[in-house]
Amino acid sequence: MIAPQEASSLHAKGARLIDVRERHEYGQAHAAGAECVPLSDLARGLKPCLPMDEPILILCATGPRACRAAEWLAARGHRELYVVAGGTAAWVAAGLPVVQEPDQGASARYARQIVLPEVGIEGQQRLQRARVGLVGAGGLGSPVALYLAAAGVGMIRLADPDRVELSNLHRQILHGEDALGLAKTESAALRLQALAPELALETWPQVVDGRNVEAFIAGCDLVIDGSDRIATRYLLSDACFAAGVPLIHAAVEGFRGMITVFDPRRADSPCYRCLFPDEQAPEPRSCVERGVLGPVPGVFGCLQAVEALKLLLGAGETLIGRLLIADLLAPSFRILSLPRDPVCSCAHAAGRRADRSAPAEARA
Ligand SMILES: [Zn+2]
């Protein structure tokens, strides 16, 4: 243990000064000259480039993590280790030089995804500008909403006409027991605003139907179907194809589920009718009748969130034209090809859209 003033003078004489807090903490304010060597990196086995025979001064927030880092380094043969008593807090209190980064909040919050080459600063800004329509704040919609809000998506328009019931809570993780009886949109708003205060959340405590579906989709970069009604699935698919807005569809029952992406902007993309042409087929039994294991919609909601973020970022390959089916009891995962049905109405719609968007000379 060493006092901050003493550490500062040793540092001035050439001793290495390391700050073992996480990068976002370091980014907010750190002792001048300190290098960032997060304890979590040490714990993961990442070897820092530190001299074995020179004094090393170790700082964290107030001391405990620096002690753990010292034990770790001592176990690996480092000999001259000094934990700075009271950590960065004591360093600041002693009036020693500090580097303070203004407005590091946003980049610190998303640091772990900004570091991904598929995201970066530009991708994070794209997410911040994104507008997503989400139908359903239930088993699928809960993880979708939580992960998109946490990822920094700028606006979510969330529709659900139901109220929170006790039998929802085993799978609809947006809602807690304190929200029983509240509108699901209201309960979701409380949770999501606590998680991501900067999220612009537009709540629609009503069913999305033929009268309002156009308004629901308007202005959205993509729509996510987390509903459990067959009629809503056809409605969303038709409306998204008419509006040229991608739709991420998933459905679950029991231990099984499926997910795919329909993208009317792509001429080869199928729609929901390509998958289920017979709208008059009897509706399969719902979660209410069949039951569903809580994490099963969680898995598929998470997959929907991943597909949404990839679409918004333009990263990787999405499930357009492919259907992922999983039986989590077996367990088995399969990805089937899902081609567009050449006689489906979506094909004609795609043709019409291509006509509309083509330049005049190309149309002639
Ligand atoms: Zn179709």
Side-chain angles (χ1 to χ4, degrees), residues 237 241 269-275 340-341 344-347:
S237 178
F241 267 74
S269 171
C271 75
Y272 187 71
R273 291 181 187 279
C274 296
L275 180 59
R340 191 177 70 183
D341 179 349
C344 176
S345 56
C346 70

Side-chain angles (χ1 to χ4, degrees), residues 3 36 89 122 127 149 173 222 229 234 271 295 325:
C36 183
E122 196 192 320
L127 296 181
I173 57 172
L222 59 86
R229 292 174 63 244
Y234 283 105
C271 75
I325 300 179

Side-chain angles (χ1 to χ4, degrees), residues 205-273:
Q206 69 220 70
V207 73
V208 173
D209 60 20
R211 290 166 300 178
N212 62 15
V213 68
E214 268 186 51
F216 182 80
I217 290 171
C220 288
D221 298 304
L222 59 86
V223 171
I224 299 174
D225 183 358
S227 72
D228 54 3
R229 292 174 63 244
I230 301 287
T232 306
R233 293 173 186 165
Y234 283 105
L235 177 80
L236 285 177
S237 178
D238 291 347
C240 283
F241 267 74
V245 175
L247 171 66
I248 302 173
H249 167 77
V252 294
E253 55 159 28
F255 289 82
R256 298 185 303 165
M258 63 180 176
I259 170 173
T260 187
V261 177
F262 306 123
D263 191 345
R265 301 169 304 177
R266 282 206 5 200
D268 60 340
S269 171
C271 75
Y272 187 71
R273 291 181 187 279

Side-chain angles (χ1 to χ4, degrees), residues 252-257 290-293 296-297 300 326-330 332:
V252 294
E253 55 159 28
F255 289 82
R256 298 185 303 165
R290 270 190 68 95
V292 63
L293 197 73
V296 174
F300 284 87
D327 176 353
L328 299 172
L329 193 57
S332 75

Side-chain angles (χ1 to χ4, degrees), residues 161-183:
D162 295 335
R163 291 187 174 273
V164 180
E165 295 175 17
L166 194 57
S167 63
N168 300 151
L169 301 189
H170 86 294
R171 67 188 187 285
Q172 301 183 13
I173 57 172
L174 260 177
H175 316 296
E177 206 166 299
D178 54 349
L180 289 176
L182 284 185

Side-chain angles (χ1 to χ4, degrees), residues 255-346:
F255 289 82
R256 298 185 303 165
M258 63 180 176
I259 170 173
T260 187
V261 177
F262 306 123
D263 191 345
R265 301 169 304 177
R266 282 206 5 200
D268 60 340
S269 171
C271 75
Y272 187 71
R273 291 181 187 279
C274 296
L275 180 59
F276 295 109
D278 185 5
E279 195 173 350
Q280 303 309 322
E283 187 146 342
R285 287 185 298 162
S286 67
C287 289
V288 177
E289 299 150 36
R290 270 190 68 95
V292 63
L293 197 73
V296 174
V299 167
F300 284 87
C302 287
L303 289 172
Q304 285 182 299
V306 172
E307 292 299 298
L309 293 174
K310 289 191 316 192
L311 275 171
L312 294 171
L313 293 165
E317 293 290 320
T318 65
L319 285 167
I320 297 165
R322 292 186 291 172
L323 181 69
L324 188 158
I325 300 179
D327 176 353
L328 299 172
L329 193 57
S332 75
F333 285 83
R334 285 183 300 156
I335 294 183
L336 311 176
S337 169
L338 179 62
R340 191 177 70 183
D341 179 349
V343 299
C344 176
S345 56
C346 70

